[in-house]
C-alpha cells in the first residue's frame, strides 16, 4: 500500500512539472521563454533611455545656440 501511494505521489509530481514546463516554454499563442522576454524588455528600456538622453542633449544644444544668437542681436 505504501509503495502504491509513493508511486501516485511521484506521478502527481511528474504531471505538475510537465504542466509547468509546457505552460512556460511551449505555449503556442503566448510566451516562448519568459526569461528571454525579460532580457528583451531590459534592452529595449536601455534603448529608450539612450534616446531620451540624446533628445535632452539636443535640447540643451538648441537652447545654447538660441542664447548665443540672442546675445548677438543686442
Amino acid at each position: 500500500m505504501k509503495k502504491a501511494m509513493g508511486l501516485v505521489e511521484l506521478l502527481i509530481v511528474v504531471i505538475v512539472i510537465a504542466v509547468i514546463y509546457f505552460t512556460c516554454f511551449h505555449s503556442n499563442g503566448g510566451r516562448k521563454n519568459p526569461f528571454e522576454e525579460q532580457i528583451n524588455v531590459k534592452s529595449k528600456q536601455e534603448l529608450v533611455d539612450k534616446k531620451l538622453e540624446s533628445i535632452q542633449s539636443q535640447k540643451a544644444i538648441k537652447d545654447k545656440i538660441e542664447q548665443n544668437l540672442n546675445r548677438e542681436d543686442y
Side-chain angles (χ1 to χ4, degrees):
M1 182 72 176
K2 283 187 175 183
K3 193 173 186 179
M5 286 301 291
L7 288 175
V8 169
E9 290 172 351
L10 182 63
L11 182 63
I12 291 172
V13 169
V14 169
I15 290 172
V16 168
I17 290 172
V19 166
I20 291 172
Y21 176 78
F22 284 107
T23 301
C24 289
F25 298 105
H26 290 289
S27 70
N28 291 334
R31 307 188 288 193
K32 299 213 179 205
N33 187 346
F35 305 109
E36 184 178 326
E37 286 181 5
Q38 186 176 7
I39 292 170
N40 288 339
V41 168
K42 286 182 181 179
S43 65
K44 287 179 183 177
Q45 184 63 41
E46 289 173 358
L47 290 173
V48 169
D49 290 341
K50 287 179 183 177
K51 189 64 175 177
L52 285 174
E53 288 176 12
S54 172
I55 290 171
Q56 289 173 346
S57 68
Q58 288 175 359
K59 283 184 179 180
I61 291 171
K62 178 185 168 236
D63 291 341
K64 191 72 166 175
I65 291 171
E66 286 178 356
Q67 288 174 357
N68 288 340
L69 288 175
N70 288 338
R71 283 189 199 153
E72 292 178 4
D73 288 342
Y74 292 115

